Amino acid sequence: MSFKDLNIIPPILSALEAQGYKTPTPIQQKSIPIVLDRHDLLACAQTGTGKTAAFAVPLLQLMAAQRSVKKGEIEALILAPTRELALQIGESFHNYSTNLSIRHTVIFGGVSQNKQLNDLKSRPQILVATPGRLLDLINQGFIDISKIQYLVLDEADRMLDMGFVHDVKRIVRLIPKERQTLLFSATMPTSIMQLAGSLLYQPRKVQVDPVSSTAETVQQSVFMVGKEHKKLLLAHLLKETAADKTLVFTRTKYGADKLVRLLVKKGITATAIHGNKSQQARQRALHHFKSGQIKVMVATDIAARGIDIDQLPQVINYELPNIAETYVHRIGRTGRAGSPGLAISFCDTEEVAYLKSIQKLIGFKVTVQQHSFH
Ligand code: AMP
């Protein structure tokens, strides 16, 4: 099956092609026709399954086909629990809408609202938001959501876990009852079913296998290591390893650059790939890594999304992600198509809680390795 078979319009088709998407993922195959048919949707799918495009692509198509009631009104609202997810969704809308004249804006808390207010002046039709900041800006009179026709709740279970249920309900009361609503959640506990019952109208239901089940060919282990010893351990492992390519994940861009400088000093060829680098610099880094000229690529999660490296034997989590699904997504880059892969994580005392939630998600304990370097 291709995106064309799903009746996706040419401007979106070419944008997907530019992203390197060839076939729709299972969640996309199931969800896109339902959304295009204007039904409400209750989808059980995790990060890494392609769920963002499963709602973003058909929503863009519906919006492109329809003349706005009034230009410049917010027609679609996407609610996400975290700033990271909101940004990722924004990036997806950006990528898929390059050939359309549909604008979007992302707003989230924890930063000054000024830039976001400025972005809102471009009168986006799509708003991606975390609930708290959205309510805040609505209360200040900066955002009007009374003309919303499409509502998406992404990672609804996480939204409830983070205590956003009242904010979500408050937001829903401000948008028209007559709308199309899509709810995506990695798990379907009773609380989600109740929320779905109150928000969705005769929803179609779809489910896909969680990504956590795809990591069987990846051998996972963790080193319990103090933050101050991580650098040494990394250099040691990289010198010892037989792997010709290693993808190392850090949480920040700054951290990625710092690590590359250190590795290079120790005589290990390394490059960083992150959002502060130009597209050209990223492509170049990726090319050198793929061709084997550079042994180590240090990446942040956002930068690593969408890059596909065949035959990647080893992934190292220099820092554990605070979102368990991100771990699954990171290690899923090795051990592809049945070939063996190694996923090594470094866990300091502050990251033990992250390790616990990762183990809960994947359903087993990661083997602890001892280090013997000095
Ligand atoms: P998501 O689950 O939405 O976070 O998507 C996970 C990753 O899969 C992202 O890096 C997407 O860019 C990528 N992706 C989504 N759909 C497809 C597709 N049909 N083909 C290839 N990659 C995709």
Side-chain angles (χ1 to χ4, degrees):
M1 183 185 281
S2 67
F3 282 101
K4 209 169 169 194
D5 299 326
L6 292 172
N7 298 321
I8 301 303
I9 53 174
I12 302 181
L13 274 183
S14 51
L16 294 175
E17 218 165 89
Q19 287 301 304
Y21 295 7
K22 293 194 177 68
T23 20
T25 65
I27 190 72
Q28 292 161 4
Q29 293 186 19
K30 290 179 184 174
S31 304
I32 290 174
I34 294 171
V35 181
L36 290 179
D37 272 348
R38 301 188 155 275
H39 295 293
D40 281 5
L41 175 71
L42 176 60
C44 187
Q46 295 190 329
T47 299
T49 53
K51 66 179 170 64
T52 315
F55 63 79
V57 165
L59 280 186
L60 283 168
Q61 176 144 336
L62 287 175
M63 293 174 73
Q66 168 193 10
R67 290 230 140 262
S68 313
V69 194
K70 247 201 218 162
K71 266 212 159 140
E73 278 168 353
I74 300 170
E75 295 168 33
L77 173 64
I78 324 297
L79 290 179
T82 62
R83 160 200 175 131
E84 287 75 19
L85 184 64
L87 284 168
Q88 281 177 27
I89 297 170
E91 199 178 293
S92 298
F93 272 108
H94 170 82
N95 292 337
Y96 310 147
S97 67
T98 43
N99 306 318
L100 302 169
S101 51
I102 297 177
R103 291 180 302 276
H104 72 276
T105 289
V106 183
I107 60 169
F108 46 82
V111 292
S112 145
Q113 66 180 39
N114 293 341
K115 183 181 174 300
Q116 297 173 5
L117 291 181
N118 212 27
D119 290 347
L120 285 166
K121 288 193 188 129
S122 72
R123 308 201 64 100
Q125 291 94 349
I126 299 171
L127 184 63
V128 184
T130 53
R133 175 57 61 94
L134 174 62
L135 274 175
D136 195 6
L137 296 185
I138 290 173
N139 290 338
Q140 294 180 58
F142 290 122
I143 294 179
D144 174 12
I145 55 168
S146 65
K147 301 292 188 308
I148 295 288
Q149 300 170 43
Y150 309 100
L151 172 68
V152 180
L153 268 82
D154 197 12
E155 300 201 355
D157 49 354
R158 184 170 300 275
M159 207 115 69
L160 297 196
D161 284 349
M162 291 174 68
F164 284 136
V165 66
H166 295 298
D167 284 353
V168 169
K169 287 186 175 161
R170 233 168 271 154
I171 290 165
V172 171
R173 278 200 291 275
L174 299 172
I175 65 179
K177 283 206 168 62
E178 189 84 8
R179 60 168 193 259
Q180 190 176 1
T181 309
L182 320 175
L183 188 151
F184 284 76
S185 188
T187 55
M188 287 287 159
T190 325
S191 54
I192 290 291
M193 296 310 284
Q194 279 167 351
L195 183 71
S198 70
L199 297 183
L200 305 174
Y201 174 72
Q202 297 186 348
R204 303 293 194 266
K205 295 176 184 137
V206 302
Q207 182 165 7
V208 294
D209 290 336
V211 226
S212 54
S213 62
T214 62
E216 277 144 26
T217 52
V218 183
Q219 200 187 323
Q220 302 170 49
S221 63
V222 60
F223 285 96
M224 309 308 291
V225 57
K227 204 176 256 167
E228 68 284 8
H229 291 128
K230 283 187 173 184
K231 292 187 197 84
L232 278 176
L233 179 59
L234 180 69
H236 173 78
L237 289 178
L238 289 173
K239 285 206 160 150
E240 294 289 295
T241 184
D244 60 340
K245 287 188 189 73
T246 303
L247 181 59
V248 178
F249 282 99
T250 58
R251 240 185 329 250
T252 64
K253 300 168 193 171
Y254 174 73
D257 283 336
K258 220 168 109 180
L259 210 50
V260 165
R261 283 198 296 273
L262 176 109
L263 294 175
V264 170
K265 235 190 219 166
K266 297 220 175 240
I268 299 164
T269 52
T271 183
I273 188 161
H274 57 62
N276 282 1
K277 304 224 158 184
S278 69
Q279 184 63 19
Q280 216 180 2
R282 288 203 233 179
Q283 294 293 349
R284 200 169 40 234
L286 193 59
H287 172 73
H288 287 154
F289 183 59
K290 281 183 171 179
S291 66
Q293 285 164 270
I294 285 177
K295 203 171 151 185
V296 179
M297 190 159 80
V298 186
T300 57
D301 287 300
I302 301 253
R305 284 171 79 243
I307 58 173
D308 209 359
I309 304 149
D310 290 337
Q311 309 292 331
L312 179 65
Q314 177 164 280
V315 167
I316 296 182
N317 292 307
Y318 188 76
E319 282 145 343
L320 280 177
N322 56 348
I323 297 172
E325 284 83 1
T326 303
Y327 172 86
V328 175
H329 199 48
R330 285 182 182 180
I331 71 164
R333 298 186 169 276
T334 176
R336 288 198 168 177
S339 59
L342 272 184
I344 300 167
S345 300
F346 293 178
C347 178
D348 63 39
T349 46
E350 285 169 25
E351 295 170 313
V352 173
Y354 301 158
L355 180 62
K356 283 194 178 141
S357 73
I358 288 166
Q359 296 186 144
K360 203 169 140 204
L361 174 72
I362 60 178
F364 60 87
K365 286 215 150 89
V366 180
T367 315
V368 176
Q369 280 205 63
Q370 303 299 332
H371 44 85
S372 57
F373 67 94
H374 290 287

